[in-house]
Amino acid sequence: MRNLIYLIIIFSFACNQPAENTPTTPFVMVLGVAQDAGYPQMNCKKECCKRAWKNPDLQRTTSCLAIVDPISKEQWIIDATPNIKEQLQLLKQKTGTEKLDGILLTHAHMGHYTGLMHFGREVMGTDNLPVFAMPKMKNFLEENGPWSQLVKLENINIKAIKSDSTFSLNDRIKVKPFLVPHRDEFSETVGYEITINGKTLIFIPDIDKWEKWETDITELIKKVDYAFLDATFYKNGELKRDMSEIPHPFVEESMELFSELSNKEKAKVHFIHLNHTNPLLIEGSTAQKVVLKKGYNLAEEGEIIKF
Ligand SMILES: [Zn+2]
Ligand SMILES: [Zn+2]
Ligand SMILES: [Zn+2]
């Protein structure tokens, strides 16, 4: 009997412990790499999604990063995706908990905020969970149901943030939102710069085209340590519709633009936010080989970024 009790104690202890080789200083973890709709995409019967429907190992969730501080045991996520439930389980495997200390939002497209619905009465019923949002995004959530109910019932507490204005998540982690051009129907769109231990990471899951942005992305890559960048489409013609209606930098265009960078700088780039049609989702595809051979990285779910 005593042995059984020991076993139960050891087992429950092991269950609540973070996974081995988890960093002891703040880090970023990739929780999702796909475009808003995830991979495979609903109702897609084409070659791109065929294998992923049959094999869950090939499926990918919507782009999302977690920021984790193992010292204070705090954790935040950038964007609340439709896959938040699975993504917090993935986070828990690494940190031992799915409890969040806040959510940072980029914009009001379906892949980036609709996961907030899980914090309401029907599910978590959280108490004033901090949600960091730009002014139009904040207003959109406050003025439109069902999001307005999360505000009214104080499930979430929206913290207004300003572009190009740095704020601290705690003593060790600084964050700066910055505006990027995108189809801003309901909100502005921001990317985030995260600074930990003197090193920086930028996350831009959605942007129309690099040329439309006043910031020179190539110069910015030189200044930062990691760049998680919009790679929605690999190349023009990937969709059988007018792709100028949904502009994104094609990965081919980005690689052309970044070709002047040194190998060390190219290695900072992690392509993320992949549409179901993007061949970078297919293991061993020619596109994957090209991107990796040129020295760029592909964001991977579960990947840990150290600072
Ligand atoms: Zn998106
Ligand atoms: Zn597909
Ligand atoms: Zn978007």
Side-chain angles (χ1 to χ4, degrees):
M1 185 62 191
R2 182 175 288 177
N3 282 348
L4 183 67
I5 291 168
Y6 282 148
L7 260 177
I8 290 168
I9 291 169
I10 290 165
F11 185 70
S12 53
F13 183 72
C15 282
N16 290 320
Q17 285 306 298
E20 265 175 58
N21 61 45
T22 298
T24 50
T25 53
F27 62 93
V28 163
M29 181 174 176
V30 180
L31 299 185
V33 301
Q35 180 263 11
D36 298 42
Y39 175 69
Q41 180 166 308
M42 182 163 162
N43 206 34
C44 182
K45 302 175 187 78
K46 287 180 291 193
E47 213 47 52
C48 48
C49 293
K50 229 177 219 171
R51 265 171 295 181
W53 282 122
K54 288 189 201 133
N55 183 356
D57 289 346
L58 303 178
Q59 300 180 359
R60 295 290 177 267
T61 61
T62 301
S63 67
C64 178
L65 298 184
I67 309 169
V68 180
D69 187 344
I71 299 168
S72 60
K73 300 201 186 320
E74 290 173 292
Q75 50 192 14
W76 300 262
I77 51 173
I78 306 185
D79 282 342
T81 84
N83 308 116
I84 190 165
K85 174 158 89 165
E86 295 81 8
Q87 290 176 329
L88 292 187
Q89 283 301 307
L90 180 62
L91 181 61
K92 187 181 178 179
Q93 280 173 27
K94 199 74 198 168
T95 65
T97 177
E98 58 199 312
K99 190 186 156 288
L100 290 178
D101 295 277
I103 299 172
L104 299 96
L105 297 178
T106 59
H107 66 303
H109 280 161
M110 71 160 264
H112 303 268
Y113 78 100
T114 57
L116 288 179
M117 65 176 80
H118 288 276
F119 298 100
R121 252 180 189 161
E122 301 91 330
V123 192
M124 296 286 289
T126 46
D127 178 19
N128 281 300
L129 175 69
V131 171
F132 298 89
M134 292 288 290
K136 273 178 80 181
M137 181 80 220
K138 179 175 185 284
N139 196 49
F140 171 77
L141 295 171
E142 286 169 347
E143 300 297 323
N144 294 283
W147 323 109
S148 52
Q149 183 173 293
L150 299 174
V151 179
K152 211 185 298 159
L153 297 180
E154 298 182 351
N155 297 126
I156 63 172
N157 180 357
I158 307 183
K159 311 264 187 199
I161 54 174
K162 272 209 301 224
S163 67
D164 300 315
S165 172
T166 304
F167 62 96
S168 298
L169 291 177
N170 68 20
D171 290 349
R172 289 169 291 279
I173 305 166
K174 286 192 169 53
V175 173
K176 186 179 80 175
F178 51 86
L179 288 168
V180 295
H182 191 40
R183 297 169 285 113
D184 294 343
E185 301 92 338
F186 301 112
S187 72
E188 25 339 49
T189 301
V190 290
Y192 282 100
E193 181 188 278
I194 302 158
T195 306
I196 298 168
N197 216 358
K199 284 186 165 185
T200 50
L201 177 151
I202 50 163
F203 179 38
I204 307 174
D206 268 290
I207 187 165
D208 282 359
K209 288 279 181 195
W210 297 124
E211 309 85 85
K212 281 216 231 161
W213 195 24
E214 64 218 23
T215 302
D216 182 332
I217 182 63
T218 315
E219 287 304 311
L220 182 58
I221 293 169
K222 290 179 191 169
K223 288 186 203 138
V224 301
D225 297 280
Y226 304 102
F228 282 74
L229 304 180
D230 180 345
T232 308
F233 303 117
Y234 189 69
K235 62 177 179 188
N236 201 5
E238 199 172 303
L239 297 187
K240 303 291 169 250
R241 61 189 262 206
D242 183 2
M243 292 185 75
S244 65
E245 284 174 6
I246 35 167
H248 288 275
F250 300 127
V251 174
E252 281 192 345
E253 290 174 338
S254 297
M255 291 195 296
E256 180 62 34
L257 189 64
F258 306 158
S259 59
E260 61 165 87
L261 292 174
S262 68
N263 287 344
K264 195 174 153 232
E265 284 160 347
K266 284 178 185 165
K268 297 173 180 177
V269 175
H270 290 61
F271 288 118
I272 196 164
H273 195 272
L274 312 177
N275 196 57
H276 69 117
T277 52
N278 191 325
L280 293 180
L281 282 163
I282 312 273
E283 215 51 56
S285 65
T286 309
Q288 255 197 11
K289 284 179 194 154
V290 168
V291 167
L292 297 174
K293 188 149 182 271
K294 285 183 191 285
Y296 302 102
N297 285 295
L298 299 171
E300 274 181 50
E301 288 174 11
E303 180 184 3
I304 299 289
I305 308 294
K306 293 182 184 167
F307 288 79

